[in-house]
Amino acid sequence: MPAAEVPTAQETLLRKMYEVFSTAERDTFLPHCLAQDVDWPNVADGVRLHGHDEVRAYWAAQFEAAHPLVRLEGLRLDKDGQRVVATVRPGLRDDAGDHWAEEPVEHVYRFGPEGLVSRMDIRPVS
């Protein structure tokens, strides 16, 4: 049986989200990609964030400290067929240029009934 494909609306939303993350457009796009009560990881502090304001503040702090980059390398449905897995390569931009991690990671997304991201988790590539 062939693997199911990522639904078009979810793929389009995630591709746009990764496209704008490293730009000033991210704050404007946030309400169009994340549910109001989104559950988002704060990897640096090991806690979960909830809602647009907390995620916006987290992203702002990241960009004050450095210029994070995330390169989307692929999308697929998770084994459960409900979550979308984005294989990404994190990076950082500084005065010397762009620096990419040697190993990719997976961002795992759940979507709410309105079609927006309701939760994101990060895990090693499986």
Side-chain angles (χ1 to χ4, degrees), residues 92-108:
L92 181 68
R93 179 173 294 146
D94 63 18
D95 292 339
D98 294 352
H99 309 278
W100 298 99
E102 288 187 28
E103 298 296 323
V105 296
E106 292 181 341
H107 291 173
V108 183

Side-chain angles (χ1 to χ4, degrees), residues 3 28 33-34 39 44 48 50 52 64 69-71 74 81 87 98 114 116 118 123:
T28 305
C33 63
L34 303 183
D39 183 339
R48 303 292 304 181
H50 298 93
H52 289 178
E64 284 178 21
L69 302 168
V70 183
R71 182 173 60 214
T87 303
D98 294 352
E114 70 287 339
L116 302 178
S118 61
R123 67 185 189 199

Side-chain angles (χ1 to χ4, degrees), residues 13-90:
L13 180 97
L14 290 174
R15 287 190 182 283
K16 179 68 174 178
M17 194 169 79
Y18 283 105
E19 179 184 315
V20 303
F21 175 73
S22 294
T23 73
E25 194 180 341
R26 87 184 144 273
D27 285 341
T28 305
F29 190 65
L30 184 141
H32 302 286
C33 63
L34 303 183
Q36 278 291 340
D37 60 347
V38 67
D39 183 339
W40 196 266
N42 173 333
V43 177
D45 296 330
V47 298
R48 303 292 304 181
L49 307 172
H50 298 93
H52 289 178
D53 291 341
E54 289 185 13
V55 172
R56 188 176 280 117
Y58 173 62
W59 287 352
Q62 284 183 305
F63 279 89
E64 284 178 21
H67 189 102
L69 302 168
V70 183
R71 182 173 60 214
L72 178 62
E73 295 187 344
L75 292 170
R76 64 177 169 77
L77 284 181
D78 205 8
K79 294 172 189 160
D80 65 9
Q82 301 299 310
R83 298 173 293 174
V84 177
V85 177
T87 303
V88 301
R89 190 165 306 268

